[in-house]
Amino acid sequence: MVENETGRAVLVTGAARGIGWAIAKRFAAAGDRVAILDRVPATAAADLVAGLEGGGHVVVEADLLDSEALPAAVDSAAGQLGGLDVLVNNAGVFTAHPITEVGYAVWQEQWRTTLGVNLIGAANVTWCAVRHLKERGGRIVNVTSRGAFRGEPDVPAYGASKAGLNSLTQSLALALAPYRISVSAVAPGFVATDMTTEHLKPPSGDAIRAQSPFGRVAEPAEIAAGVFYLASAQAEWASGTILDLNGASYLR
Ligand SMILES: NC(=O)c1ccc[n+]([C@@H]2O[C@H](COP(=O)([O-])OP(=O)(O)OC[C@H]3O[C@@H](n4cnc5c(N)ncnc54)[C@H](O)[C@@H]3O)[C@@H](O)[C@H]2O)c1
């Protein structure tokens, strides 16, 4: 139950590394039980669980593109955690496909995969999770992106997927309030993770850091802090919000 600030059951997608891993660590440090849903093989599960504070954490191996596998994966997570209180839709992919530079086959594949993971995958996990969340109320927090607002000229399917996820956030905030489920999003700018390692190397990295007047990009823990707040009991009234976490690099 979200009234409890500890001991909640939290499902985080894409939490084997990066921002998702920081989110998993943030909840675990607060005394919550975390299920990591990711493509990682079972052999990696023990190491991930061992890296989290507290106990009761689990890893569920699933591919968000495999819609048929998701109901069992989410049910497995909820079964092992003892229900669900919080879902964080964090998993995402980001692969360049500039419209004037890629062939039609690559273009189609990038749109299929990017929307498939970032938007449809999140929508499907959410459908599966709501069956559990509506039993006692809860929180859904989606990890979208600054790119949904600013545009992604080299990664247009990514920008569209995150704009779609923002829209899904707002629609479900309305649909699920009667079930005491609040739905919100964080929209980060650049964050230092494996996803962005190449981009953040000089010289492109220098230009990216200069986008913020702070002259840097975010650390994953800064995004996790925002997600943790939006999942808190005090954040029910933040339902429907999209929290910009971009170091004033893009103001809207
Ligand atoms: N890093 C950034 O600059 C940045 C900025 C804005 C938003 N985001 C968003 O934050 C989220 C996390 O990004 P990150 O930087 O930690 O990325 P990352 O690539 O480091 O980690 C992504 C995780 O998602 C998992 N994943 C990817 N596809 C999957 C699939 N089909 N099924 C299951 N799991 C899958 C990966 O295995 C990985 O563990 C993403 O949604 C991303 O779009 C990142």
Side-chain angles (χ1 to χ4, degrees), residues 55-71:
H57 313 301
V58 299
V59 176
V60 178
E61 182 186 357
D63 187 331
L64 289 185
L65 289 172
D66 185 358
S67 59
E68 296 302 315
L70 292 178

Side-chain angles (χ1 to χ4, degrees), residues 35-133:
I36 291 172
L37 188 154
D38 209 309
R39 290 176 300 192
V40 289
T43 47
D47 285 344
L48 287 169
V49 167
L52 296 173
E53 283 182 53
H57 313 301
V58 299
V59 176
V60 178
E61 182 186 357
D63 187 331
L64 289 185
L65 289 172
D66 185 358
S67 59
E68 296 302 315
L70 292 178
V74 174
D75 287 353
S76 168
Q80 294 180 77
L81 295 181
L84 273 188
D85 300 300
V86 177
L87 166 66
V88 182
N89 283 308
N90 164 79
V93 291
F94 177 81
T95 306
H97 50 280
I99 188 166
T100 53
E101 293 175 27
V102 298
Y104 189 47
V106 171
W107 178 257
Q108 290 176 80
E109 174 58 19
Q110 287 303 327
W111 276 87
R112 189 188 69 77
T113 306
T114 306
L115 290 182
V117 175
N118 298 8
L119 179 57
I120 298 171
N124 288 343
V125 168
T126 302
W127 186 93
C128 298
V130 163
R131 293 187 299 178
H132 301 281
L133 290 167

